[in-house]
Amino acid sequence: FTNPDNTFRVSFSGGKDSAAMVIMLLEKGYPVTSIDFMDSKNEYPELYEYIDRVDKYLSEKYNMHINIIPIKEEWEFEKWFYSGYTSGKHKGEMRGFPKVLSRMCYLTRQKGRMLDRYDTTSYRYIGIGSNESRRVSDNPRLLYPLVEWNVTEDQCVEYLKEIDLMPTHKKYYTRSGCWWCPKQSVQSSFSLYIRHPDLWQRLKTLESESPHGWNLPGRTTDDLELKLKKYVTSGKVDLKKFLDDKTEDEYESTYQRIMNK
């Protein structure tokens, strides 16, 4: 592998590890040519808010901005959702949601491939904590600064807290991903339903149009709505924890929406 232009790109996901990594790189004076975020156009709204926060911080301290790369038009979710399979026993049938039991969603694969192909001649920094070093590749293009510095995920959290740049979306969603993801956790599904009724309604529409629904039996949108109502009634879920950035009026209207369902 050769890097003729001596370029170093950061793979920025919007998560705690990649955020801590890019700031540490700049703080330590490592070369950073570009900070690349591959945008599926379907991330949780709070993630986009966090990207704006990080971008503002990087701009003010290091005169750098996050390079947002849109996913290719042919890979956009709804276009894929409504299109038909091109081969196999389901050829011609509408795809609908990615299958829950599949190892990896098509969009996750395409985001990775597109970022890999975006620039094949640069070094690329990858934000993997030292406690996850088993995930390190032997590809000479890929660099793992957190592993090199022996910085763990927990240390990334402490570092971001110190500079007041913890990703707030982690309070509501157990991991980053698309808002419509069939594999998201119950907590993430609750957060979407509570915080973004417009997206939840869109999800219900897509669920009704998908040939195989959205999730496994017992994990439909109706199931999750009933479960949340039961949990709020019993006190198992504190609705205010999902709405800690909202006004009292917003909390009350959300409470009425959920309990009157």
Side-chain angles (χ1 to χ4, degrees), residues 80-91:
W80 186 91
F81 181 98
Y82 289 110
S83 66
Y85 289 102
T86 57
S87 61
K89 64 179 181 178
H90 298 293
K91 183 177 180 179

Side-chain angles (χ1 to χ4, degrees), residues 50-63:
Y50 183 60
I51 289 170
D52 288 343
R53 282 178 60 206
V54 175
D55 187 77
K56 182 179 179 183
Y57 181 92
L58 295 173
S59 173
E60 291 175 351
K61 289 210 69 173
Y62 301 104
N63 195 32

Side-chain angles (χ1 to χ4, degrees), residues 102-230:
S102 298
R103 188 177 66 85
M104 187 184 292
C105 165
Y106 90 98
L107 192 50
T108 302
R109 289 195 301 270
Q110 300 297 8
K111 282 175 69 176
R113 288 173 183 170
M114 190 168 166
L115 198 53
D116 287 344
R117 295 169 184 172
Y118 179 70
D119 182 346
T120 60
T121 63
S122 296
Y123 287 109
R124 185 167 290 281
Y125 297 116
I126 307 295
I128 291 178
S130 60
N131 56 301
E132 292 263 302
S133 58
R134 65 184 182 280
R135 296 171 52 201
V136 168
S137 164
D138 58 4
N139 185 332
R141 285 183 57 231
L142 305 182
L143 308 175
Y144 301 90
L146 298 177
V147 175
E148 175 190 333
W149 304 328
N150 198 29
V151 174
T152 65
E153 291 177 308
D154 288 344
Q155 288 172 316
C156 287
V157 169
E158 292 307 311
Y159 176 78
L160 291 174
K161 284 180 179 178
E162 288 175 6
I163 60 174
D164 194 25
L165 211 60
M166 261 298 286
T168 53
H169 59 279
K170 291 296 184 180
K171 294 193 297 182
Y172 313 116
Y173 308 101
T174 52
R175 60 182 301 174
S176 301
C178 298
W179 61 263
W180 49 259
C181 181
K183 290 190 173 188
Q184 64 185 287
S185 67
V186 170
Q187 178 187 318
S188 295
S189 301
F190 282 171
S191 290
L192 185 71
Y193 176 39
I194 294 167
R195 295 176 61 80
H196 301 289
D198 54 335
L199 293 180
W200 188 258
Q201 191 55 50
R202 181 59 186 150
L203 177 58
K204 291 178 74 67
T205 299
L206 291 168
E207 178 183 43
S208 68
E209 295 176 343
S210 175
H212 45 268
W214 173 58
N215 210 306
L216 296 168
R219 283 285 303 275
T220 67
T221 54
D222 285 344
D223 293 327
L224 289 164
E225 289 171 1
L226 290 172
K227 182 176 286 189
L228 179 61
K229 184 175 180 178
K230 178 181 176 181

